[in-house]
Amino acid sequence: MNDAPIRFPTESEIPSTMHIDKERLSMRWLVGGELRTWPGEGADVLSPVCVAKADGKLERVVVGRTPNLDSKAALEALEAAKRAWDGGRGDWPTMRVARRIGAMERFAEAMAKAREEMVRLLMWEIGKTRKDAETEFDRTLLYVRDTIEALKDLDRQSSRFVLEEGFLGQIRRSPLGVVMCMGPFNYPLNETFTTLIPALIMGNTVVCKLPKYGALLHAPLFEAMRDCFPPGAINVITGDGPTTVGPIMESGDVDVLAFIGTSKVGNTLKRQHPRPNRLRCITGLESKNPAIVLPDADLDVAVRECVSGALSFNGQRCTAIKLVFVHRSVEGAFVERLASAVDALKAGMPWEPGVTLTPLPEDNKPERLAALIADATARGARVVNRGGQRLGTFLRAAVVYPVTPEMALYAEEQFGPVVPVAAFDDEREIDQFMQKSAYGQQVALFGRDRKKMAFLVDALVNQVSRINLNSQCRRGPDTFPFTGRKDSGEGTLSVSDALRAFSIRAVVAAASNEDNKALVSDIVVGRMSSFLSTDFIF
Ligand code: G3H
């Protein structure tokens, strides 16, 4: 019997539905309205998917190549964004909102056409299943369209004058300047676009540094980015972070940092800015979201939601459940059911139907997860399912129990297919965990007792930013505020919050006398200003 935790395909077993045009996508970057091919060094894009060679060896598939830009090229992208901003006088920041919306609508149309190619690249580059890759694409396109509608709404509210205490004024949201935008590998499209799109549509100019894993999938959009927006409004770079983003931040010319990644990198980037008082930051960082299973929880619901919450996309979500606290009175039944539900998950290649568990993109990730499991087992925990086996880039999802505070898995974010379970007797243990935790994003609470649930909601709501009742932690719907406390993030994102995050209110005010009324009225009627305007966007 073959007891390998996963079966990697041979070259000939890769389906034709996974074909991509490597040459066309490789080594490209976008700067100042020019789509360029980088003549310098590049990096192979290694898929988490391996192929099994004739000699039995596993080899990661090379999906393409991305430019390893140097600091000079990165600074050229920054200069292009600065030119497009032009001290706030550039074409894009001064463009009427309706025209900016028109540009974004054209971009959304072009994006829709790239769906299949981008879905395939999501599968190849980060190992996302076809179903999840399609969801990521569709959700992102919807986000673009919803952002357009939200901006129309915001603009309608601003398209009127207010009369207050003898003053007349018009209040609008204005862009902030040059935005440095960086998304993560686990949602390389969605989480890049949930900052890039609102930043851009508000009139900012952007340098976007793509993540190491999940960079190539943006290449199908480069032409549309070049053609839909004025030169330099959006610039896209790739390469080593310290080499490219370091000098950009050190220049002091970045007005907004939109960063989704680790707090360690986030802190470095912020410190690199010479005038941090000028830097607005919108970040989404790590988390250690606990699930809390109370004695009267419906265990079917709790197990189902914990499995999906902990292991969707192999647990590589900032919102994943990363520690389960189960009440001592139900630990036996819960752990047994959780273990068999995890064992029932199908492992395979991203294109295989019904697959949940797939290979991992980050270098040496299975080894790092195995070290966390080893640390826990050395301190008295066990792997209680058929998990933990490794093969190449894959690690079979492991349920580790009982996890206690001295184990690394108790407090560290594992960001992978390991489900630590801790037993608790008293809710004060959960309070202690939350108090000590470096993170404060979400919790998932499973139970039925109204009084107990209400008590825990009130006890936890000031420690996290979202409490999920009898359901897993998640970001969506994207109209809900998404944020975190402590090391989990800064600023709030949602379709409408993001428009606010990437803009500042500006007011044009005047004493409400006849001369000023006539002045303002002439400007509006003569359509002489983009800001002073009562245009209503339908
Ligand atoms: O990685 C963090 C994502 O924002 C999670 O989003 O909860 O919709 O998977 P999700």
Side-chain angles (χ1 to χ4, degrees):
M1 185 187 144
N2 179 8
D3 60 357
I6 197 165
R7 186 180 167 276
F8 285 104
T10 60
E11 203 102 40
S12 62
E13 285 171 330
I14 296 173
S16 59
T17 51
M18 285 298 288
H19 175 78
I20 47 161
D21 183 349
K22 284 186 202 173
E23 288 311 308
R24 187 174 59 79
L25 300 167
S26 288
M27 295 301 276
R28 306 204 306 168
W29 65 301
L30 183 65
V31 59
E34 271 180 47
L35 187 45
R36 293 196 196 155
T37 301
W38 175 244
E41 256 182 55
D44 280 343
V45 177
L46 294 179
S47 174
V49 172
C50 300
V51 284
K53 296 288 177 188
D55 59 2
K57 286 214 179 94
L58 296 175
E59 238 174 53
R60 292 178 73 162
V61 175
V62 179
V63 192
R65 230 170 136 68
T66 49
N68 260 349
L69 297 179
D70 56 20
S71 8
K72 192 166 160 263
L75 287 171
E76 194 185 339
L78 175 66
E79 280 311 311
K82 278 168 62 184
R83 260 198 319 280
W85 173 248
D86 192 17
R89 295 180 305 269
D91 274 0
W92 185 245
T94 55
M95 193 177 278
R96 281 180 189 271
V97 172
R99 282 191 57 213
R100 268 194 252 133
I101 285 176
M104 194 59 83
E105 281 170 341
R106 286 194 296 284
F107 179 70
E109 269 169 44
M111 183 177 164
K113 291 185 190 135
R115 183 178 190 269
E116 177 56 25
E117 189 171 30
M118 292 179 75
V119 165
R120 286 182 193 186
L121 285 161
L122 273 168
M123 290 192 275
W124 272 125
E125 284 192 274
I126 58 163
K128 206 161 253 195
T129 62
R130 174 169 274 278
K131 187 167 160 279
D132 285 353
E134 287 177 348
T135 303
E136 177 166 352
F137 183 92
D138 294 340
R139 172 183 179 182
T140 308
L141 186 55
L142 181 67
Y143 194 95
V144 178
R145 292 186 168 137
D146 284 351
T147 298
I148 291 171
E149 290 311 310
L151 179 56
K152 286 182 185 170
D153 208 41
L154 188 65
D155 194 75
R156 286 175 197 136
Q157 291 161 33
S158 329
S159 68
R160 55 193 285 273
F161 283 81
V162 285
L163 293 170
E164 200 71 54
E165 295 180 25
F167 285 89
L168 64 87
Q170 187 165 31
I171 306 162
R172 280 186 183 282
R173 298 205 74 96
S174 306
L176 291 158
V178 173
V179 178
M180 181 71 230
C181 171
M182 298 170 75
F185 85 81
N186 62 329
Y187 277 94
L189 175 64
N190 183 261
E191 293 221 297
T192 303
F193 274 33
T194 54
T195 59
L196 177 112
I197 297 299
L200 200 55
I201 204 168
M202 289 310 286
N204 302 284
T205 62
V206 181
V207 178
C208 178
K209 153 81 168 63
L210 299 175
K212 178 175 170 193
Y213 314 99
L216 209 57
L217 68 93
H218 293 265
L221 297 179
F222 285 170
E223 268 106 356
M225 286 175 177
R226 178 195 62 196
D227 298 342
C228 296
F229 306 106
I234 173 165
N235 307 277
V236 185
I237 62 172
T238 54
D240 172 59
T243 310
T244 55
V245 187
I248 292 180
M249 294 308 293
E250 281 160 7
S251 73
D253 290 331
V254 171
D255 300 294
V256 186
L257 172 67
F259 173 74
I260 319 283
T262 64
S263 54
K264 187 166 167 253
V265 175
N267 281 331
T268 304
L269 296 172
K270 285 171 89 163
R271 276 195 216 104
Q272 283 171 332
H273 198 290
R275 289 182 294 278
N277 59 300
R278 288 193 183 189
L279 184 69
R280 180 176 292 193
C281 292
I282 295 123
T283 61
L285 308 170
E286 311 98 276
S287 61
K288 187 78 181 176
N289 294 341
I292 300 152
V293 182
L294 297 169
D296 65 341
D298 179 332
L299 290 192
D300 287 339
V301 173
V303 167
R304 184 191 68 216
E305 294 293 308
C306 284
V307 170
S308 166
L311 292 172
S312 296
F313 190 38
N314 308 301
Q316 300 166 120
R317 294 160 59 230
C318 62
T319 48
I321 290 174
K322 299 197 177 103
L323 177 62
V324 182
F325 283 104
V326 58
H327 193 267
R328 187 89 57 195
S329 61
V330 285
E331 60 172 337
F334 176 81
V335 170
E336 195 188 320
R337 285 156 82 163
L338 182 72
S340 45
V342 170
D343 284 339
L345 297 175
K346 184 174 169 189
M349 297 304 114
W351 56 82
E352 290 172 33
V355 153
T356 301
L357 304 171
T358 54
L360 309 172
E362 287 179 285
D363 295 334
N364 303 322
K365 190 63 181 264
E367 289 73 14
R368 279 184 280 144
L369 292 171
L372 283 174
I373 297 172
D375 167 76
T377 51
R379 293 168 197 269
R382 283 181 307 121
V383 175
V384 292
N385 69 325
R386 287 183 285 111
Q389 309 92 321
R390 279 180 284 153
L391 183 65
T393 47
F394 181 78
L395 178 129
R396 177 83 210 182
V399 180
V400 183
Y401 172 81
V403 166
T404 50
E406 60 279 3
M407 300 171 189
L409 267 178
Y410 188 85
E412 266 180 40
E413 183 189 55
Q414 66 272 33
F415 215 75
V418 178
V419 193
V421 182
F424 75 97
D425 297 290
D426 187 315
E427 283 114 40
R428 275 174 296 190
E429 294 168 53
I430 291 156
D431 187 54
Q432 265 186 6
F433 168 82
M434 291 310 307
Q435 296 284 348
K436 282 197 189 150
S437 176
Y439 310 113
Q441 195 199 60
Q442 301 192 12
V443 299
L445 205 49
F446 295 93
R448 287 186 269 216
D449 180 318
R450 271 73 183 146
K451 273 199 181 147
K452 177 76 51 131
M453 294 291 269
F455 170 79
L456 283 170
V457 164
D458 289 354
L460 292 167
V461 78
N462 291 343
Q463 309 204 54
V464 294
S465 299
R466 174 165 165 162
I467 296 175
N468 302 277
L469 303 181
N470 294 312
S471 51
Q472 62 163 295
C473 303
R474 52 161 63 87
R475 175 177 178 148
D478 287 329
T479 46
F480 280 14
F482 177 60
T483 180
R485 299 169 188 265
K486 300 198 267 187
D487 288 349
S488 288
E490 188 177 352
T492 302
L493 292 174
S494 75
V495 170
S496 55
D497 283 305
L499 295 177
R500 289 175 170 78
F502 290 100
S503 60
I504 187 168
R505 288 200 299 171
V507 54
V508 176
S512 179
N513 57 37
E514 291 314 308
D515 282 351
N516 283 340
K517 282 188 203 163
L519 171 74
V520 171
S521 172
D522 289 346
I523 291 174
V524 171
V525 173
R527 296 178 59 73
M528 294 172 212
S529 162
S530 307
F531 188 99
L532 284 173
S533 152
T534 52
D535 282 2
F536 189 90
I537 305 176
F538 289 98

